[in-house]
Amino acid sequence: MKLVLASKNKKKLVEMNDILSRLGVQVCSEAEAGVDVEVEETGTTFEENSLLKARTVMEASGMPAIADDSGLCVDALGGAPGVYSARYGGEGLDDTGRYRLLLENMRGQSPRTARFVSVITCCFPNGDVITARGECPGTIAFAPMGEGGFGYDPVFFLPERKKTFAQLTAEEKNEISHRGKALALFQEKLKAYLAAQPEN
Ligand code: IMP
């Protein structure tokens, strides 16, 4: 089976292929599927945005499509930045600007608990949908630490490891991360789905 990844992110394509090739599933880019879709993320939940992306690319390509939507939810900020994680503070900010803004908004706030969330959705042309959600709990550090990862990793602290996501190796992060958990669950669900198909 071949799935199209509803994303322009090459790292995501490699990561998805690494995991799903074990099931005999090949993941290709939008370009390889002959589509180039800009999906406006108008949803208010990770589930809605993930479904929007997967469904739009499935409809454009006529092939099963997979998407993920993720972000950081901070309890003291009412769940912000949440689905707006990539756009927190507006267009002008980069990853560093966004986590600095978060640290500023967290000054004097308590508790500092937070969680990363990832929702993966796969839409099939026959209308079937598979969804998997993964979460990783942690806290917001008082200052950035570590050089690895991306996004909010330098300020996402894991109390039990006494390290931020940015201080973990990619392997260590994948083992416990929201995306790693969502992908593991998705893999199980897809395996069961494929086994139930008459042609398999
Ligand atoms: P998406 O591409 O629309 O899912 O946006 C995800 C955004 O959430 C990214 O741009 C990051 O700001 C943030 N994010 C999601 N996962 C991670 C992670 O593993 N580490 C750091 N930031 C993340």
Side-chain angles (χ1 to χ4, degrees), residues 11-60:
K11 277 190 188 169
K12 274 189 192 173
L13 185 66
V14 172
E15 189 184 87
M16 294 268 186
N17 257 316
D18 276 353
I19 293 172
L20 298 179
S21 61
R22 294 175 215 152
L23 301 180
V25 171
Q26 194 193 337
V27 186
C28 75
S29 64
E30 288 182 25
E32 285 169 283
V35 294
D36 181 8
V37 186
E38 274 312 317
V39 183
E40 225 190 308
E41 297 184 25
T42 52
T44 55
T45 64
F46 296 109
E47 278 79 3
E48 279 172 20
N49 281 336
S50 181
L51 177 63
L52 258 176
K53 292 190 248 186
R55 197 173 47 206
T56 308
V57 172
M58 180 274 287
E59 283 169 355

Side-chain angles (χ1 to χ4, degrees), residues 7 9 12 41 46 49 53 68-72 81-88 95 98 116-119 149-154 156 165 173 177-179:
S7 168
N9 187 325
K12 274 189 192 173
E41 297 184 25
F46 296 109
N49 281 336
K53 292 190 248 186
D68 86 318
D69 196 56
S70 55
L72 176 64
V83 291
Y84 307 104
S85 292
R87 300 167 264 172
Y88 194 46
D95 277 356
R98 278 186 283 273
F116 267 120
V117 178
S118 165
V119 174
F150 70 100
Y152 299 90
D153 281 352
F156 188 73
F165 257 2
K173 182 182 164 185
S177 79
H178 48 309
R179 199 168 300 101

Side-chain angles (χ1 to χ4, degrees), residues 39 57 85 102 107 148 168 172 183 188:
V39 183
V57 172
S85 292
L102 177 66
R107 206 175 291 153
L168 302 181
E172 286 171 334
L183 265 171
E188 267 177 44

